[in-house]
Amino acid sequence: MKTVEEIKAAIEAAVPGAGVEIVQNPGPAAQHSLLLQPEHAVDVAKFLRDDAELALTFLSNVTGVDWPDKEITEKVKVTKMVTKTVDGVEQQVEETVEEPRKRVEPGYLEVVYHLYSMTKKHGPVVLRMRTKNRTDAVELPSMTPVWRSAEFQEREIFDLFGVVFTGHPDLRRILMWEGFKDHPMRRDYVEPDDYDYEPTAHDAVLAKATAHQARIAEQKGAGQ
Amino acid sequence: MSASATRQEGWSKAPAIVDYGEGELLEVSMGPHHPSTHGVFRMDVTLQGEQITKLKPVFGYLHRNHEKLGEGQSYLASMPYTDRLDYICSLTNNWAYALAVEKLVGQEVPERAEYLRVIVGELTRVQNHALSVGFLIQDMGASGTPLMYAFKEREKILDLFESLTGSRMMCNYMRFGGCRVDATPAWLDEVRRVVAGLPKFADEFERLLCTNEILMARTQGVGVLPAELAMSAGVTGPMLRASGVNYDIRKVDHYGIYDRFDFKVPLGSHGDVYDRFMIRLLELRESIKILEQALRDIPDGPVMDPKAKIRNFRPKPGEAYGRIEAPKGELGFYLISDGSGNPYRYRVRPPSFVNLTVLEDMCLGHNVADVVLILGSVDIVLGEVDR
Amino acid sequence: MAVDEQLKIEMGRQGVFVTTLEELYNWGRRSSIWPMNFGLACCAIEMIATTMARYDLARFGAEVFRPSPRQADMMIISGTVTKKMAPQVVRLYNQMAEPRYVIAMGACAISGGPFKQGYNVLKGIDRYIPVDVHIPGCPPRPEALLEAFIALQKKIDAQPLTGEARPRHLDAEAPGEFPVPEPGEHDLEPAANTSVWTVPVVIR
Ligand code: SF4
């Protein structure tokens, strides 16, 4: 099978301006992936499916991944005017100091597609698409018109992650009930507090347990 | 016996939707508590007379948050959870997960462990196919007998699992880099004894069912799935091969040691319920062939790679998608590691969920009683569909 | 009124069968418990295995699985009850005719089991309906399910027909319908039926 670089070149030849990037996978599996621009994604997908040599007719797996906003603390060199007493005289002196700066890297939702070829029996080719952010610009083009197998899997991602697939024929919640408001697979989802605890070895669970017990105690106190 | 040898002419035409003119449409909700839905699965069916004009599956009644739980615990802690995905075939689920993690960290598996994996995996396939055929025929109205035949054989296999792994159903047997415990020679002898009895069981099962006139009348030409649709909809496993597409991941990926065995991939030509049912019976026979070869060749040696890391298991950042041919189709695990002890993303690609994509297409135009059969021929397990 | 055991045996030797109405009534009830054909998850497979030839539930008069709740006496909650499924389970229970019994089979039905930390998993069916027998295990072996049947039969046998401890169906005041929870925006509403379940007190 072609390497990722060759596939990228083929895509760029077929879909001008596709702007595909390669995302390296540093692990031993070395399944590198192609990051698509949402505007051209459907064209690229059609090309991958219909190209005689690639013939990626089989979309196996669609995964949603949530990458929340990351707070990055880094040391930044800044030049400052400081007041100092030099030789008994107060002066303004320029000085370079290192200051920790907090920078928020915006998060995004990502959808990963694993493609195989049923006729040529090769694969996987991994495609990725990213939304602009996690709150309002969460639209991505749907791959269901190209591969039917995306139908339920994209609905699942809509349900659990909140990615809105434009062009999907029937985008509804699939696993949770209609009327449910949250997207539970997101990393910042807060579960309903209905959990009775036994001591476990997990710190996170123990913290939850303490909070739960406190709430129950509070309710009992209020009831009396 | 090939799939088409016993086919009667004239059954293979798909019925067209007949318009009866003015009439009321009836909406029926089949499930989530319905004896034929193999668990808690619902179909919203719209009927015109007896015929189906629309069918929408409704999922989620067994959504147990498998993927979310997998993100909150270590890699190894998810292994027993995979048992509960497709709870009829826990060992192949273990295998798929172990394979994905081994890909993620670049782990090798010793020879003997590979053989043991093949043996337990193929035993799982045998019992799954026997059960799915039994359930299918149960749905057709033959309550009891065929299912009892299937369960009789399944109990023998479950006994083997129990003496090897300690549990009948939830085996939790495989580890990253091998298997948890070694098989004793006595266990292998016992497997040989059970496997020697399997062809007789397959014969008996086939004699009972294959040429049964009612079965043929009810299944041939029902629920036809064309090959192009099957490919585009990502259908895998016996269902895909019943539509005539030669795609068996054991042959395509050569994972484990499957290229050492001599076995055939049975293919159907019509893609109807009868073909799917026959493919399972034929695959069952091929599995027996693999089992015989594996039991003959199994070498001695360790079952766990001594270099495999068990404590403090932290894969380097990266990702991997590993897949196997589970009895129901392609079972894949997609793992993203961020270098910590828990997977950043833990995704299961369930075969039965994706196979259900085409349920509506197969059911349109058929009578409502056939839906039960078509659903049975997809062979779903809700633990895996909803996760 | 109880009959003296010794006297009963003696009479039996003479060919006279003596019993009480209570015993007869309970004997009839316990020997033909018809379960509902209702499986939820992995435990359902073990439930089916129990009805098959090897374990043969028919020995206890309980092999007649009824698909309709109207004809069933007992519901085996065999598997994980999710929040999406819980309203249906309660509704099915409401549709069953008294006397009715519930067996919670497996860790999931008792408490959520391995999936307890899941957001869509109900942490035990006894939050909404009364449960008669709990069997632990994941899944419980078929033998354990048989044991649950025997336990339930013993429970029925011991029920007096009058007085405070009489079963629910002989008590006109006892509740017949249990409120069905509604799926809400974040969780089921209410999260538990406080008339059958209270928050367990943790003693440390
Ligand atoms: S108790 Fe175990 S076997 Fe039973 S339904 Fe729950 S997870 Fe499955």
Side-chain angles (χ1 to χ4, degrees):
Chain A
M1 198 189 73
K2 285 181 170 176
T3 61
V4 220
E5 287 79 17
E6 284 163 2
I7 295 175
K8 177 177 184 249
I11 291 175
E12 271 162 2
V15 186
V20 182
E21 284 169 47
I22 295 181
V23 180
Q24 292 289 339
N25 174 3
Q31 295 166 341
H32 308 299
S33 45
L34 296 165
L35 179 66
L36 306 187
Q37 299 301 327
E39 303 83 61
H40 301 286
V42 175
D43 292 337
V44 172
K46 285 208 179 111
F47 162 72
L48 290 177
R49 184 192 60 183
D50 298 334
D51 183 54
E53 199 178 333
L54 287 168
L56 296 164
T57 44
F58 170 37
L59 167 63
S60 158
N61 180 26
V62 188
T63 313
V65 192
D66 181 18
W67 300 95
D69 299 349
K70 242 196 262 164
E71 204 169 73
I72 298 175
T73 319
E74 45 188 9
K75 291 256 164 75
V76 187
K77 287 220 170 90
V78 273
T79 331
K80 266 197 194 164
M81 299 299 280
V82 264
T83 323
K84 264 195 182 169
T85 323
V86 186
D87 307 332
V89 189
E90 216 163 79
Q91 280 184 339
Q92 291 275 329
V93 182
E94 223 171 67
E95 213 180 50
T96 314
V97 284
E98 280 209 335
E99 253 189 13
R101 273 278 176 87
K102 284 206 177 128
R103 184 164 61 87
V104 177
E105 200 164 88
Y108 49 84
L109 301 167
E110 187 176 41
V111 182
V112 187
Y113 296 86
H114 285 84
L115 301 175
Y116 286 86
S117 170
M118 276 199 187
T119 40
K120 301 264 161 140
K121 305 212 169 22
H122 58 216
V125 173
V126 190
L127 306 182
R128 315 185 146 226
M129 281 196 285
R130 291 175 181 168
T131 60
K132 297 214 178 60
N133 61 24
R134 300 172 68 243
T135 45
D136 44 4
V138 288
E139 279 93 25
L140 283 180
S142 166
M143 291 293 173
T144 310
V146 188
W147 294 285
R148 259 298 286 287
S149 57
E151 185 179 343
F152 287 167
Q153 303 192 55
E154 285 184 345
R155 269 177 74 185
E156 185 190 327
I157 293 168
F158 166 72
D159 185 355
L160 302 182
F161 288 90
V163 179
V164 178
F165 290 95
T166 49
H168 191 286
D170 183 21
L171 198 63
R172 287 176 294 140
R173 282 195 180 264
I174 188 167
L175 293 179
M176 305 304 286
W177 54 84
E178 295 288 327
F180 191 74
K181 284 273 150 66
D182 308 329
H183 299 297
M185 278 299 282
R186 290 209 185 175
R187 296 235 138 198
D188 47 9
Y189 169 71
V190 185
E191 302 173 14
D193 179 21
D194 60 348
Y195 186 89
D196 320 300
Y197 297 86
E198 64 267 10
T200 67
H202 299 279
D203 293 347
V205 176
L206 279 181
K208 267 196 223 163
T210 325
H212 176 80
Q213 292 300 341
R215 196 184 62 96
I216 298 279
E218 195 178 291
Q219 273 181 358
K220 286 229 169 99
Q224 275 163 9
Chain B
M1 194 184 297
S2 86
S4 52
T6 50
R7 180 167 290 278
Q8 296 178 341
E9 284 313 311
W11 291 108
S12 55
K13 262 194 258 106
I17 296 185
V18 189
D19 191 2
Y20 292 113
E22 288 290 295
E24 277 183 24
L25 292 181
L26 181 68
E27 282 187 24
V28 185
S29 169
M30 290 176 81
H33 159 237
H34 190 278
S36 75
T37 52
H38 298 225
V40 279
F41 176 65
R42 190 174 120 206
M43 291 171 280
D44 284 344
V45 187
T46 311
L47 297 175
Q48 187 181 41
E50 275 273 301
Q51 278 190 339
I52 294 186
T53 54
K54 200 169 139 206
L55 183 145
K56 290 283 169 223
V58 182
F59 305 90
Y61 291 100
L62 196 56
H63 178 45
R64 300 192 280 194
N65 330 121
H66 190 92
E67 293 179 5
K68 185 88 179 172
L69 295 180
E71 287 173 9
Q73 61 198 7
S74 68
Y75 284 86
L76 189 55
S78 288
M79 184 61 88
Y81 281 82
T82 61
D83 289 338
R84 288 150 181 88
L85 275 173
D86 172 358
Y87 34 75
I88 294 180
C89 327
S90 66
L91 282 156
T92 44
N93 302 346
N94 285 179
W95 193 354
Y97 181 50
L99 193 88
V101 178
E102 281 153 10
K103 267 203 178 154
L104 184 68
V105 295
Q107 171 77 49
E108 294 288 312
V109 182
E111 193 83 333
R112 186 174 170 87
E114 290 280 21
Y115 272 92
L116 280 175
R117 284 182 178 189
V118 169
I119 291 172
V120 291
E122 293 304 321
L123 281 174
T124 306
R125 196 183 311 275
V126 168
Q127 57 107 351
N128 176 74
H129 285 353
L131 267 200
S132 79
V133 169
F135 276 121
L136 174 68
I137 292 164
Q138 164 113 340
D139 292 343
M140 216 174 291
S143 69
T145 316
L147 197 60
M148 290 223 184
Y149 271 71
F151 263 89
K152 184 190 79 191
E153 215 57 31
R154 178 173 186 261
E155 288 292 339
K156 288 183 195 159
I157 293 173
L158 289 198
D159 279 352
L160 294 176
F161 290 166
E162 189 178 2
S163 62
L164 181 66
T165 70
S167 175
R168 281 158 54 84
M169 277 172 71
M170 306 301 173
C171 298
N172 182 16
Y173 179 56
M174 288 172 203
R175 291 290 178 266
F176 317 132
C179 298
R180 182 157 53 88
V181 285
D182 196 359
T184 59
W187 186 81
L188 286 172
D189 284 341
E190 191 60 29
V191 180
R192 285 187 190 107
R193 206 179 57 75
V194 171
V195 170
L198 284 177
K200 192 165 149 278
F201 161 73
D203 289 344
E204 190 182 59
F205 219 42
E206 269 184 18
R207 210 170 42 244
L208 180 70
L209 305 172
C210 289
T211 50
N212 183 315
E213 206 159 317
I214 300 172
L215 185 133
M216 290 204 275
R218 292 262 345 242
T219 55
Q220 293 187 352
V222 171
V224 176
L225 176 66
E228 302 77 52
L229 179 64
M231 272 201 261
S232 134
V235 172
T236 42
M239 234 181 120
L240 175 73
R241 294 192 283 276
S243 293
V245 183
N246 184 359
Y247 194 73
D248 185 324
I249 297 169
R250 290 176 293 179
K251 291 271 190 197
V252 174
D253 278 10
H254 307 288
Y255 66 91
I257 45 165
Y258 270 115
D259 42 2
R260 293 186 200 173
F261 302 118
D262 166 38
F263 66 100
K264 295 200 193 77
V265 180
L267 293 180
S269 48
H270 299 76
D272 54 6
V273 175
Y274 186 75
D275 271 4
R276 291 197 273 279
F277 151 83
M278 274 311 282
I279 291 288
R280 295 213 166 88
L281 285 179
L282 295 173
E283 265 186 26
L284 194 150
R285 287 187 185 271
E286 295 302 319
S287 289
I288 300 172
K289 253 166 60 188
I290 299 177
L291 275 168
E292 281 163 356
Q293 295 168 45
L295 286 166
R296 186 191 62 211
D297 300 339
I298 181 166
D300 283 335
V303 288
M304 224 13 226
D305 186 351
K307 290 198 289 301
K309 204 161 170 190
I310 295 169
R311 304 241 167 261
N312 207 4
F313 184 80
R314 287 169 192 279
K316 291 196 195 68
E319 55 176 56
Y321 180 69
R323 56 175 198 163
I324 67 160
E325 177 78 29
K328 298 190 165 61
E330 171 186 331
L331 176 64
F333 282 82
Y334 176 52
L335 299 160
I336 300 182
S337 163
D338 58 353
S340 71
N342 300 352
Y344 184 80
R345 179 77 172 97
Y346 167 89
R347 153 86 185 163
V348 187
R349 189 262 186 216
S352 1
F353 181 58
V354 183
N355 287 359
L356 280 177
T357 314
V358 288
L359 184 64
E360 181 174 14
D361 304 62
M362 291 193 294
C363 289
L364 287 186
H366 285 293
N367 288 348
V368 67
D370 290 335
V371 174
V372 172
L373 277 187
I374 295 170
L375 180 70
S377 74
V378 180
D379 188 15
I380 59 167
V381 158
L382 263 296
E384 184 177 70
V385 173
D386 294 341
R387 281 150 293 141
Chain C
M1 191 193 76
V3 183
D4 181 31
E5 276 303 306
Q6 221 36 56
L7 178 68
K8 230 161 78 178
I9 294 167
E10 193 50 44
M11 298 279 276
R13 286 211 188 101
Q14 309 295 326
V16 182
F17 176 62
V18 183
T19 185
T20 59
L21 195 57
E22 187 176 290
E23 259 173 38
L24 192 65
Y25 182 76
N26 284 344
W27 171 79
R29 285 200 295 145
R30 77 154 152 77
S31 310
S32 63
I33 308 172
W34 286 6
M36 186 151 81
N37 193 345
F38 175 63
L40 285 171
C42 353
C43 284
I45 304 292
E46 285 296 63
M47 180 180 82
I48 298 168
T50 316
T51 65
M52 290 296 150
R54 187 177 189 186
Y55 296 100
D56 198 9
L57 194 59
R59 290 176 293 163
F60 301 90
E63 82 282 19
V64 195
F65 274 77
R66 305 311 300 180
S68 160
R70 299 285 184 208
Q71 302 165 340
D73 304 314
M74 182 184 58
M75 188 173 189
I76 305 176
I77 314 275
S78 53
T80 322
V81 187
T82 59
K83 287 184 181 161
K84 193 167 178 177
M85 189 64 195
Q88 275 71 273
V89 175
V90 179
R91 202 166 285 138
L92 283 171
Y93 181 72
N94 281 342
Q95 287 171 356
M96 284 164 65
E98 290 278 9
R100 55 189 166 178
Y101 308 97
V102 175
I103 290 182
M105 179 184 186
C108 283
I110 297 174
S111 69
F115 298 96
K116 188 171 184 175
Q117 299 178 33
Y119 48 87
N120 191 28
V121 174
L122 186 72
K123 280 87 186 169
I125 187 61
D126 46 4
R127 290 186 176 217
Y128 291 115
I129 55 177
V131 175
D132 293 282
V133 184
H134 296 87
I135 9 170
C138 183
R141 292 180 58 90
E143 289 92 333
L145 187 58
L146 295 182
E147 174 68 27
F149 267 96
I150 298 169
L152 185 65
Q153 291 186 335
K154 282 194 185 133
K155 181 171 176 170
I156 295 173
D157 257 345
Q159 277 176 339
L161 297 189
T162 49
E164 270 304 289
R166 66 190 187 278
R168 213 173 38 233
H169 67 282
L170 296 175
D171 184 356
E173 308 285 279
E177 290 260 314
F178 289 81
V180 179
E182 290 287 327
E185 293 186 356
H186 306 285
D187 195 2
L188 284 180
E189 284 160 9
N193 176 1
T194 40
S195 69
V196 294
W197 184 81
T198 47
V199 182
V201 185
V202 183
I203 301 165
R204 282 161 210 257

